[in-house]
Amino acid sequence: MKKLLIAVAVLSALGGCALPSDSGSSYTSSQARGEQTIRMGTVQSVRTVNIDKGSSGVGTLAGAGLGAVGGSAIGSGRGSIATGILGAVAGGVIGNRAESSLSNKQGIEITVKLDNGALTAVTQDADEIFRPGDRVRLLSGSGITRVTH
């Protein structure tokens, strides 16, 4: 029971870890007050894309830990060890899949024709509506470009 409570506490703490935002309106503290280059343009097209945040391994580790605790609670002696190992493997697979599904999100790819005639595309969170023909600003700085109205 003690192991189960520790595992639940660890998972609760890890659950509070938020993924960074790819929003056009979200800035990290290191980006604040940084100068950005602004280019103007017109939206040519917008399409829905999947933004894959990747895997940190937290889901796999947490799932394996819970699976090991749950599995070892079944049986006794060597049977407890074997079910603990099986539980860790199964929990790791399930935890990895859960993390992957939670870390993927819908985004948009915005193709913009700049006023100088060049075409460029930016992918970001789908938290603002863009339509072909919209006049937009592209803000670039610190290796990041975002599209805003």
Side-chain angles (χ1 to χ4, degrees):
M1 186 60 147
K2 184 177 178 182
K3 290 179 186 178
L4 182 60
L5 289 174
I6 292 170
V8 169
V10 168
L11 279 180
S12 297
L14 293 174
C17 299
L19 296 172
S21 174
D22 290 316
S23 168
S25 301
S26 179
Y27 291 82
T28 64
S29 61
S30 64
Q31 293 170 330
R33 296 181 13 183
E35 183 176 0
Q36 296 185 336
T37 302
I38 300 171
R39 296 173 289 164
M40 299 298 294
T42 304
V43 174
Q44 297 296 298
S45 65
V46 180
R47 74 180 184 112
T48 302
V49 296
N50 182 48
I51 299 175
D52 182 355
K53 297 283 195 172
S55 175
S56 66
V58 171
T60 303
L61 291 174
L66 280 177
V69 170
S72 66
I74 300 170
S76 61
R78 289 185 183 163
S80 175
I81 294 170
T83 55
I85 291 170
L86 288 174
V89 171
V93 169
I94 292 168
N96 180 272
R97 287 185 182 165
E99 181 183 9
S100 291
S101 68
L102 290 172
S103 65
N104 292 338
K105 63 181 176 177
Q106 189 173 8
I108 53 174
E109 178 188 84
I110 310 154
T111 301
V112 178
K113 184 172 187 175
L114 299 172
D115 288 351
N116 68 7
L119 281 175
T120 191
V122 176
T123 301
Q124 63 189 38
D125 284 351
D127 62 344
E128 191 173 342
I129 298 171
F130 295 95
R131 293 183 179 88
D134 284 356
R135 286 289 291 167
V136 293
R137 300 178 308 151
L138 278 76
L139 292 89
S140 301
S142 304
I144 295 172
T145 298
R146 61 188 86 234
V147 179
T148 65
H149 282 99

